[in-house]
Amino acid sequence: MSDTKSALERIYNYSLEEIMGLSFGRYSKYIIQDRAIPDVRDGLKPVQRRILYGMYREHNTYDKPYRKSAKTVGSIMGNYHPHGDSSIYEAMVRMSQWWKQNTPYIDMQGNNGSIDGDSPAAMRYTEARLSKISNELLKDIDKDTVAWAPNFDDTELEPTVLPSKFPNLLVNGTTGISAGYATNIPPHNLGEVIDATIKRIDSPNCRLETILEIIKGPDFPTGGVIYEAEGINKAFTTGKGKVVVRAKVDIQKVKGKTNIIVTEIPFDVFKSNITRKIDEIRIDKKIEGIAEVRDETDKEGLRIVIELKQGANTDLILNYLYKNTDLQTTYNYNMIAIVNRRPRLLGIMDILDAHLAHYKEVVLKRTAFDLAHAKKRLHIVEGLIKAISILDEVIRVIRASKNKSDAKDNLVKEFGFTPEQAEAIVILQLYRLTNTDVTTLEEELHNLNIIISALSRIINEEEELKRVMKDELRAIKKEYAT
């Protein structure tokens, strides 16, 4: 009887609204922070970060052979992202498509889809590896530069952010829909974004107008022409704005006929849809004057030919096509990213500053890591040089000792070596007692002092830190900018 009573006392009454509110609140928070919205610092969503880090960990890099995509997907799902293989493979494919990203991070071999909207081949048929520029997102990750968190089953750690050297959020853009928030950031030109970042390092208080002179607007991988610059200015200021994107066309006269040649199309539209729609307009005679439409795209580049009838009004047809097909689209900026675990609407200055703060922290942490290692090695080298200078006495003490542990204790007691130096001395190989090796050690000592001095300067002098950051950014621009 008492058991039944205590069980009844443990039953609580909640309204459906309360349960739905609490559960949906938790779900929303997870979707926003850990699924759909990228981090402002490295511009990546968690699934993208896990793919890049997982491939890096598996040494599936640009300088190694390709590996089956299915193997990579299985590894990512088993270690970091337990959300089904299709979502991982879709993210992988998107990061390999040149018409979606300005700088693809995955180098995929096989059918990875097309600008016509064709599906990629199944993961068992394609092979992939990291592209060369991915290295600039992952370099120095093993030098205590970023925070780590346990993976889903607490068996290993994964990075909460990558030590990205350039503002990837602007370079590749993003799109995502979560609970209550959506994000839409277009790609921008890598060279321009790096120039703007360098400008921001040199002039932390520069105005938006200065940045607008450097980054003219979005730079879509599929090209196109942007109209209405006010939309860009508004988007760069507030994070929200609208730009009109038109296909790039040339008018050509061939044997008395006029052809409209399309060589660039708006971002995120399917080329096949454009040609099909124009053909439907021709067949239905919604506007007179279109004789034929052909897709002549090949290895040389994109090319749609719209052949007009003799005497057709080119401007009238072109304006009709802009209005009724995807030859003209509207792109809506909605620059939302995660800042300190919260979604925020950001202008371009906010994005540049957030990335710079992250990059500065990465360089300082990396430098501190290298400095600690250099000092540790310097300490050992000093001990070895001292030991070789009093070699006979050192050998005498070691020979009189009972074992390795006793020898170390005696070296510390007799000559004032530290335990670390004593360890290095007792495991020293005999061939290293030659004159050549003494010279090598003295040279290493000299080099280590130079390295320590340079690293200390980066940590202690703001101008030196800025110089290092700018040099690295310029090197990336030189190597990868288009």
Side-chain angles (χ1 to χ4, degrees), residues 94 96-104 112 115 221-222 302:
R94 188 183 171 89
S96 76
Q97 295 173 329
W98 67 263
W99 59 95
K100 295 280 188 189
Q101 292 203 173
N102 270 337
T103 57
N112 68 332
I115 196 168
T222 53
L302 187 141

Side-chain angles (χ1 to χ4, degrees), residues 181-193:
Y181 288 92
T183 183
N184 214 25
I185 303 172
H188 296 79
N189 185 279
L190 175 68
E192 289 177 1
V193 169

